[in-house]
Amino acid sequence: MNFQIIGTGSAHPACSKTNDDLSHLMETSDEWISTRTGIRSRYVSTGETLTELAVEASRKALENAGVPADELDLIICSTIRGDYITPSEACMVQRGIGASCPAFDVNAACSGFLYSLDVAAGYFARGRVKNVLLVSAEMMSKLVNWKDRATCVLFGDGAGAVVLTQGEGLLSMKLTAQGGAEMLSIPHVEGNSPFCPTEPAPPYLLMDGHGVYRFAVASMERDILDVLAEANLTLGDVSYVLPHQANLRIIEAGRKKLGLPPERVLSNINRHGNMSSACIPTLMDESNRAGLFRRGDILVLSAFGSGLTSAACVLRW
Ligand code: ACO
């Protein structure tokens, strides 16, 4: 026994900034950003909290599923950084939607939605839960250095959520981690301990863009082939791939290596940028609400990110 996805939701801040808008803040251009990344605009918070976005996405997913908040048995939130170090973001969502079940966070950076699906699968396998809310929420605009044009233009803010119930929708899952902060990291904001007078690193995202690119393309191809093999399926069985939305060039390189037609690999990076773990559930919600998925469709999810982590899974819709 594992789970079936029965509802989806997503939310983003009201303010959308185009590449041209950013070119008034720094030396960049729509041409540079869009040709290298596929991004045309991204949503950025001008006051919305992460909790507001996560609660809105969760409410929509619960409504879509027809499950009242008081029938949830567990809430998992994937995020790089909640509104507080403690309480967890999942606890803030629990209060916001009026639920009373256990709630905790998972941090696996951009792979967080898939890591959380795997955690949830364990609860279903142990018969501990009937309904689970999984929400991925990220506010990348507060974590990038707006003076570093090579990274700040890549990211956006948002939240995506799914409601899971008992079922047999998860066909296979793979998670990987290769620990280290060299390629991609965000240092912590430090306290003011008088006992440790070292100079803290600036708390902004640092990335070796070329290194992450190579890791991402290699992981996407390898992980997708591995989870399909584990599910006894082939690329020909795949209805849609929902890849992490880091860069359209990464998605295209992975797609070509796998030999998949463009219409079977979904993307919304042009409007959202990279929202870390919120990318895949937001893409799933937008595709679901557009009526793209049919019952029985084979969906392959693939993500990669800081850690370095990667993950893929096969779902039957
Ligand atoms: N506007 C204009 N010029 C810029 C900008 C910008 N926003 N940013 C960098 N440049 C300049 C650089 O300064 C450099 O100039 P120089 O040649 O005079 O030194 C030039 O453009 C080329 O810079 P590169 O870093 O080599 O650019 P590249 O073509 O590799 O593209 C990018 C950079 C898009 C980040 C690419 O490395 C990439 O896609 N990496 C993958 C990583 C990724 O997408 N990560 C997402 C987050 S991580 C995650 O989600 C897992």
Side-chain angles (χ1 to χ4, degrees), residues 27-267:
E27 208 176 315
T28 190
S29 64
D30 178 51
E31 198 273 334
W32 194 97
I33 300 171
S34 60
T35 55
R36 279 176 180 73
T37 69
I39 300 165
R40 295 269 177 195
S41 61
R42 74 286 291 142
Y43 293 94
V44 292
S45 166
T46 54
E48 295 95 339
T49 64
L50 191 71
T51 302
E52 285 166 354
L53 298 182
V55 166
E56 183 184 338
S58 299
R59 283 208 182 109
K60 287 178 178 167
L62 289 167
E63 196 182 304
N64 188 238
V67 172
D70 61 7
E71 286 182 17
L72 287 173
D73 303 305
L74 179 68
I75 298 170
I76 304 174
C77 179
S78 77
T79 186
I80 293 175
R81 193 189 75 172
D83 276 336
Y84 301 90
I85 289 178
T86 188
S88 70
E89 191 55 38
C91 283
M92 298 305 290
V93 170
Q94 188 234 40
R95 182 168 77 172
I97 62 173
S100 55
C101 57
F104 62 85
D105 287 357
V106 166
N107 180 351
C110 305
S111 309
F113 179 68
L114 278 87
Y115 265 70
S116 301
L117 281 178
D118 196 45
V119 172
Y123 277 84
F124 282 103
R126 289 190 290 130
R128 299 270 297 169
V129 291
K130 186 165 179 292
N131 296 313
V132 174
L133 171 70
L134 205 167
V135 55
S136 300
E138 308 281 10
M139 197 154 282
M140 300 305 294
S141 65
K142 302 254 178 88
L143 300 173
V144 294
N145 180 358
W146 284 95
K147 293 192 164 42
D148 175 13
R149 65 178 180 170
T151 53
C152 69
V153 301
L154 305 173
F155 295 93
D157 302 337
V162 295
V163 176
L164 313 175
T165 199
Q166 291 169 341
E168 299 292 346
L170 178 66
L171 305 188
S172 61
M173 170 72 77
K174 174 183 176 180
L175 309 179
T176 80
Q178 140 192 342
E182 301 79 16
M183 202 90 90
L184 186 50
S185 67
I186 306 174
H188 251 301
V189 178
E190 297 291 341
N192 62 352
S193 166
F195 309 109
C196 188
T198 50
E199 192 61 37
Y204 301 125
L205 184 140
L206 301 164
M207 179 175 72
D208 165 4
H210 293 194
V212 173
Y213 189 100
R214 284 192 296 275
F215 169 75
V217 175
S219 306
M220 184 175 162
E221 183 192 17
R222 180 202 60 214
D223 293 349
I224 288 177
L225 292 175
D226 285 353
V227 287
L228 282 172
E230 193 194 326
N232 284 318
L233 295 170
T234 67
L235 286 164
D237 297 314
V238 176
S239 311
Y240 297 103
V241 174
L242 285 79
H244 173 49
Q245 306 286 301
N247 184 321
L248 195 58
R249 288 206 305 198
I250 293 175
I251 297 170
E252 274 295 287
R255 179 187 73 73
K256 285 180 185 153
K257 275 175 176 281
L258 291 163
L260 285 163
E263 64 276 11
R264 285 210 271 143
V265 181
L266 304 181
S267 177

